[in-house]
Amino acid sequence: MLSIKYSVVLFITAILFNIANGANPNYMLQLVNAERKKNNSPALTLDSRLTRAAQNHANYMASIQKLTHDDKSGNIGDRIKAQGYSWSVVGENIAFGQKNEDEAMKSWMNSPPHKANILDKRFKHLGVGYSSNGNYWTQNFAAPI
């Protein structure tokens, strides 16, 4: 029971951190699910572990002022696993410079590899990270084992 309460607190903290820094993971989820609905892909749900991994990665990219899919913690699979998510499939979208969720989604939907991640029917969960220090965005997608 304590671990469930702890997870809820961490998840709410991650969402509030993103909102305080200018991004709203729930709004990004709405945008993602609207695109998925148009393409008959099932809706995703936010996952606190993916959100922590995404936020950490957005912060890392901002700290080095560079877009990258790897960081000191490893690749996306390593970073998500380190947050306690046992995955069967993962994907990641990153972006730089977009001032809000709408701009970030527009750029990803205009890029075939990023759009493919957003619409991939294998994914079940989404995590969103954002750093206002340069407007770095991360979307982490995954499905559990």
Side-chain angles (χ1 to χ4, degrees), residues 6 21-22 34 36 49 52 62 91 118 120 134 136 143-144:
Y6 181 71
N21 283 298
R36 290 175 67 86
R49 298 160 295 182
R52 283 192 308 271
I118 292 167
D120 193 320
Y136 285 87

Side-chain angles (χ1 to χ4, degrees), residues 66-80:
K66 179 180 173 184
L67 282 175
T68 179
H69 285 286
D70 296 316
D71 69 23
K72 62 186 183 287
S73 301
N75 63 35
I76 181 177
D78 298 330
R79 295 191 312 270
I80 290 171

